[in-house]
Amino acid sequence: MPLPEPPPSDLAQRRGLLHDAGFRAFWTSRLAGTAAGQMLMVALGWQMYDLTGSAWDLGLVGLAQFLPALLLALPAGHSVDRHDRRRLLAAVLAVQVAVAAVLAIASGAGWLGRGTLLAVSVVLGALRAWQMPATQALLPQLVPLDRLAQALALSSTALQGAIIAGPALGGALYATGPWLLAHLGRGGSGAAATGAAGAALVYAVAAAGFALALARVLTLRPRPVAALREPMSAQTLLAGLRFIRARPVLLGAISLDLFAVLLGGATALLPIFARDILHTGPWGLGLLRAAPAVGALAMSLALARWPVRRRSGAWLLGAVAAYGATMVVFGLSGSLWLSLLALAASGAADMVSVVIRQTLVQLATPDAMRGRVSAVNAVFIGASNQLGEFESGATAALLGPVASVVAGGVGTGLVVALWVRLFPDLAHHDELTQRRGEPAR
């Protein structure tokens, strides 16, 4: 076995994380890949609503992404622990390049319909089963453990910056695509042709973003870790789930996020709010999708400078309660600017809970189990996001979009009150100082 190379994080300790070439490559890859994914989802959501005008179909897009991610999560986590995480992440990004390119060609040719968009959502969900665990497990191989909380906060700035730029750019491209193609002498006529032209341009730019992310991942040289050698079995597949279940603080933190975002999220309904309630267009949808990330970016920068060190459980529960309150304000708002402000505040509150939760998980997890634990964490996150989109769409179809969002925000507050009683260890958790492998009780 070759001797491991000195960790690149030694330089990061002396000069700052963003001076380290490995962390910087990881950071820029996450920025480019997430921005591309956000652009793709803006185009896919708006195109679906253009084609069907159905809140139910918008919810189905989320469900189509969640189900394959759920079914493949445990095998994906096992493979992340067994194989090279850098290569797995590179393979996922390569497939995303191909998917975005095919969408661009098919949309420009007018081949996309409701069924095709749902099928693409299934593929994207399957890819996410590997992407999130591989990304989360790779970061601790690039930085020292004592700087992990700072690295997570800085990594989140890339994530949130991408969630700001991606939807805004995607919405702008969708709106200006028909004009651009018309001036190139390739524009069509009619609403369907207009939407297809805008979507095709967004998908093409997204493909370039995924390609840039792939190129940066291929330059990474992560610290070697011992790979899982046991063959796939029920015992190894369920190891991550058992690990989390045995640690009440981790279980409480992860499940809190699941139910809070499941109830309080409104991402799937943003096309409805943009067009029918706030009376704007694709550019407005891009702003609405970007607004939570504006608040999250500001908060992630603050947390990188002033990390939460004490009373982490109280901070986590308070942040989730604040998230629910902001969603009530958004649901009741009839003003674009108030809606953007409420969504930005929701992103700031959510970022506090994200950084605390991810730090708890990473500090408590040994290297050999990061893939499987991250896969379970990804299921919870996917359930809160994609299954939450389905819940939002189904509830909006029954009650209307405003009642759906307001009820979800109130439900988030009730979940926080219940979790204080169900997980007292989480409510009273103090320092984020567990060493690697130490149980988070």
Side-chain angles (χ1 to χ4, degrees):
M1 177 183 296
L3 292 175
E5 298 179 3
S9 52
D10 287 348
L11 179 61
Q13 286 182 301
R14 295 194 301 271
R15 301 179 57 192
L17 286 171
L18 287 177
H19 285 277
D20 177 77
F23 181 78
R24 193 166 61 247
F26 177 89
W27 192 90
T28 54
S29 172
R30 195 170 196 196
L31 177 67
T34 304
Q38 291 293 315
M39 283 190 287
L40 189 149
M41 291 311 301
V42 164
L44 196 151
W46 193 270
Q47 198 169 24
M48 176 66 85
Y49 197 52
D50 259 350
L51 288 170
T52 69
S54 168
W56 174 259
D57 284 336
L58 288 175
L60 284 180
V61 170
L63 184 63
Q65 292 181 67
F66 169 70
L67 289 179
L70 174 64
L71 295 174
L72 295 171
L74 295 182
H78 184 277
S79 64
V80 168
D81 281 338
R82 191 174 175 87
H83 301 290
D84 187 312
R85 293 160 181 171
R86 181 184 68 95
R87 292 182 180 179
L88 283 174
L89 182 56
V92 168
L93 289 168
V95 176
Q96 287 175 325
V97 171
V99 168
V102 169
L103 282 172
I105 295 170
S107 188
W111 298 337
L112 291 183
R114 175 180 179 273
T116 306
L117 293 176
L118 289 176
V120 168
S121 298
V122 172
V123 174
L124 294 173
L127 292 173
R128 189 170 287 117
W130 274 270
Q131 185 170 14
M132 188 176 295
T135 302
Q136 291 181 356
L138 190 58
L139 180 57
Q141 294 180 241
L142 301 172
V143 300
L145 194 62
D146 61 357
R147 305 203 70 181
L148 187 56
Q150 184 188 20
L152 286 167
L154 285 173
S155 177
S156 294
T157 64
L159 178 67
Q160 301 307 325
I163 298 174
I164 294 169
L169 179 59
L173 290 172
Y174 201 111
T176 61
W179 175 88
L180 178 62
L181 294 179
H183 280 70
L184 292 174
R186 300 180 62 184
S189 60
T194 298
L201 183 59
V202 177
Y203 294 139
V205 175
F210 286 129
L212 175 59
L214 171 61
R216 296 301 284 156
V217 165
L218 291 175
T219 68
L220 294 177
R221 295 296 181 267
R223 171 177 58 84
V225 296
L228 176 68
R229 298 193 177 279
E230 291 88 345
M232 189 178 297
S233 65
Q235 182 176 0
T236 57
L237 287 176
L238 297 175
L241 187 60
R242 288 196 302 269
F243 183 89
I244 292 174
R245 185 178 178 182
R247 290 154 177 80
V249 169
L250 297 189
L251 180 60
I254 293 174
S255 59
L256 174 66
D257 176 77
L258 165 64
F259 288 101
V261 180
L262 177 65
L263 294 174
T267 302
L269 303 181
L270 291 182
I272 300 175
F273 275 84
R275 192 174 80 175
D276 300 338
I277 296 174
L278 301 173
H279 307 294
T280 182
W283 66 270
L285 173 61
L287 292 178
L288 289 172
R289 286 191 66 109
V294 173
L297 176 60
M299 183 58 71
S300 64
L301 291 171
L303 290 172
R305 178 66 180 83
W306 300 288
V308 174
R309 301 187 186 279
R310 305 298 301 271
R311 303 186 64 199
S312 57
W315 275 102
L316 176 63
L317 291 161
V320 174
Y323 173 82
T326 61
M327 295 313 298
V328 172
V329 174
F330 170 73
L332 295 174
S333 171
S335 161
L336 175 62
W337 296 111
L338 179 58
S339 297
L340 292 172
L341 182 61
L343 288 174
S346 76
D350 186 51
M351 179 50 54
V352 175
S353 71
V354 166
V355 170
I356 293 175
R357 185 180 69 253
Q358 294 291 358
T359 304
L360 284 171
V361 171
Q362 295 288 15
L363 289 178
T365 306
D367 278 329
M369 289 194 64
R370 290 195 188 280
R372 284 166 291 172
V373 171
S374 295
V376 175
N377 190 27
V379 169
F380 279 80
I381 293 172
S384 64
N385 292 328
Q386 281 75 52
L387 193 57
E389 291 180 15
F390 175 69
E391 180 272 336
S392 296
T395 306
L398 181 64
L399 303 177
V402 172
S404 172
V405 173
V406 171
V410 172
T412 298
L414 295 176
V415 166
V416 172
L418 180 61
W419 254 237
V420 172
R421 297 181 63 86
L422 291 178
F423 297 95
D425 288 343
L426 174 63
H428 296 99
H429 194 270
D430 190 18
E431 296 184 76
L432 292 176
T433 56
Q434 285 91 356
R435 296 182 182 274
R436 178 166 42 187
E438 177 184 331
R441 289 186 286 271

